[in-house]
């Protein structure tokens, strides 16, 4: 047995596997010790001229608002911003810059979008859409679409403040979606897939967890080790990530606060998180509501 892939007749294998490694698996196995993380590799042909000005301005505005950078950032050049975020690599930018600041990153990095599917009460397919754009825009669009179209609401019983109650806590959903966007394995070329049912939501992410990690390890307190450090740093600097390593803990706290079952994790294929608005649905979720990734979707 060997901890490293073995070259045999032009293909790479592990000792306990008959099939050859895919290109993505091979890249993951050699990147950390030799060349750095996937999001830190250069993207030839992608430079500052290819960045979307709206995405750059949004980042600057949110970063200043968060207080994690000074107001001087608004006056800095876009090139200086990318250098400060460690997104420059000579004449081109890194892969993380494509995801953060390209208007349509999925045209350069396949699968860099979110696939949203809504099911009716009888479990039949009701609506399907793709959400495109830079990662910041994807997150904001997704939250708005879910609020307006999919999360049933009702007025508070008091009706005095006209407060809106959502079936699932928005803070928990936002944190779960943020984790999926930041920690996704983008080399898989698979989109994040979100399935919305009447009282349940499932978020599937082609994540790549460290070896020997299971659901129990996910729930334990741990030092933050982001799969995409440059993406995580950009989201932290912009204020989207409040603190390192507390995403799953935040989701649990929000569920307890809203008196709904704790989230159910399944890491058999990628990482799947299921949120249920009623305790009666928890048993079904724990049995594994693993949605098979869809091959296509209708563009929104």
């Amino acid at each position: 047995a060997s901890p490293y892939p073995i070259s045999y007749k032009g293909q790479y294998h592990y000792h306990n596997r008959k099939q050859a490694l895919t290109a993505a698996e091979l890249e993951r196995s050699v990147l950390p010790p030799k060349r750095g993380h996937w999001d830190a590799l250069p993207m030839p042909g992608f430079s500052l001229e290819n960045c979307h000005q709206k995405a750059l301005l949004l980042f600057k505005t949110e970063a200043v608002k968060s207080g994690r950078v000074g107001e001087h950032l608004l006056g800095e050049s876009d090139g200086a911003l990318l250098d400060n975020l460690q997104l420059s690599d000579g004449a081109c930018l890194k892969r993380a810059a494509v995801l953060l600041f390209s208007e349509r990153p999925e045209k350069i990095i396949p699968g860099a979008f979110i696939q949203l599917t809504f099911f009716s009460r009888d479990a039949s397919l009701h609506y399907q859409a793709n959400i495109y754009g830079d990662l910041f825009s994807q997150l904001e669009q997704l939250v708005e679409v879910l609020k307006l179209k999919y999360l049933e609401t009702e007025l508070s019983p008091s009706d005095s403040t006209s407060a809106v109650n959502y079936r699932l806590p928005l803070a928990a959903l936002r944190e779960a979606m943020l984790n999926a966007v930041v920690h996704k394995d983008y080399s898989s070329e698979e989109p994040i897939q979100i399935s919305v049912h009447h009282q349940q939501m499932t978020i599937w992410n082609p994540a790549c967890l460290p070896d020997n990690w299971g659901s129990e390890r996910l729930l334990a307190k741990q030092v933050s080790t982001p799969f995409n450090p440059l993406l995580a740093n950009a989201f932290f600097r912009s204020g989207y990530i409040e603190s390192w390593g507390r995403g799953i803990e935040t989701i649990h706290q929000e569920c307890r606060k809203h008196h709904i079952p704790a989230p159910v994790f399944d890491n058999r294929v990628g990482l799947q998180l299921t949120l249920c608005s009623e305790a009666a649905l928890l048993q079904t979720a724990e049995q594994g509501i693993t949605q098979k990734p869809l091959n296509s979707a209708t563009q929104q």
Side-chain angles (χ1 to χ4, degrees):
S2 170
Y4 304 105
I6 303 299
S7 175
Y8 177 69
K9 293 185 178 181
Q11 294 181 326
Y12 283 84
H13 304 256
Y14 281 117
H15 180 73
N16 61 344
R17 292 178 56 177
K18 294 182 179 179
Q19 68 270 32
L21 274 71
T22 65
E25 289 174 327
L26 180 59
E27 188 177 64
R28 284 198 298 269
S29 69
V30 300
L31 277 180
K34 293 186 178 181
R35 300 167 63 193
H37 292 266
W38 180 93
D39 66 339
L41 292 185
M43 178 57 69
F46 189 84
S47 62
L48 177 58
E49 289 70 27
N50 304 113
C51 292
H52 190 40
Q53 286 299 314
K54 183 178 179 180
L56 289 166
L57 180 59
L58 174 63
F59 174 84
K60 289 182 178 182
T61 303
E62 292 299 322
V64 171
K65 187 189 302 182
S66 73
R68 291 179 182 154
V69 296
E71 291 190 8
H72 67 275
L73 178 66
L74 296 175
E76 287 188 355
S77 67
D78 294 335
L81 168 65
L82 296 171
D83 285 337
N84 289 335
L85 292 175
Q86 303 178 43
L87 298 177
S88 299
D89 193 296
C92 60
L93 299 178
K94 298 178 181 179
R95 289 170 170 173
V98 178
L99 296 167
L100 292 168
F101 300 119
S102 172
E103 185 174 10
R104 292 295 294 269
E106 83 286 349
K107 293 183 177 181
I108 304 173
I109 300 174
F113 62 95
I114 299 174
Q115 190 176 83
L116 179 62
T117 308
F118 175 68
F119 295 88
S120 302
R121 290 177 182 243
D122 61 359
S124 60
L125 180 63
H126 176 69
Y127 183 75
Q128 198 169 331
N130 290 345
I131 295 179
Y132 299 109
D134 62 87
L135 296 190
F136 297 109
S137 296
Q138 286 186 30
L139 183 63
E140 295 300 334
Q141 289 179 64
L142 179 61
V143 172
E144 289 305 310
V145 169
L146 290 174
K147 284 169 59 177
L148 295 174
K149 293 186 177 182
Y150 301 137
L151 294 179
E152 295 186 15
T153 62
E154 56 185 10
L155 291 179
S156 174
S158 64
D159 202 30
S160 57
T161 60
S162 298
V164 176
N165 294 325
Y166 293 95
R167 285 187 177 275
L168 296 173
L170 290 181
L173 287 175
R174 186 180 181 85
E175 191 67 39
M177 296 164 193
L178 179 61
N179 283 347
V181 166
V182 171
H183 301 298
K184 173 186 171 181
D185 177 9
Y186 286 90
S187 69
S188 68
E189 301 188 356
E190 291 278 357
I192 295 170
Q193 298 181 18
I194 300 178
S195 301
V196 184
H197 298 259
H198 176 51
Q199 294 174 313
Q200 174 180 299
M201 182 179 298
T202 298
I203 302 173
W204 180 82
N205 168 30
C208 184
L209 296 178
D211 293 338
N212 303 319
W213 273 46
S215 299
E216 297 79 10
R217 182 67 182 272
L218 281 170
L219 301 178
K221 288 188 177 181
Q222 54 198 279
V223 177
S224 178
T225 53
F227 189 74
N228 299 301
L230 293 180
L231 292 183
N233 177 58
F235 273 89
F236 177 76
R237 296 275 293 276
S238 63
Y240 281 77
I241 295 177
E242 292 299 330
S243 58
W244 297 108
R246 294 192 65 249
I248 293 178
E249 181 182 348
T250 298
I251 297 172
H252 275 264
Q253 289 176 350
E254 290 297 320
C255 289
R256 288 194 296 269
K257 187 188 303 182
H258 288 76
H259 308 292
I260 65 172
V264 176
F265 292 93
D266 186 340
N267 65 326
R268 288 174 292 183
V269 180
L271 181 62
Q272 178 175 284
L273 180 151
T274 301
L275 289 168
C276 301
S277 61
E278 288 190 3
L281 298 172
L282 184 60
Q283 183 177 0
T284 304
E286 289 177 333
Q287 292 171 352
I289 313 170
T290 305
Q291 299 282 344
K292 183 179 180 181
L294 302 172
N295 293 323
S296 61
T298 303
Q299 181 174 345
Q300 184 179 11

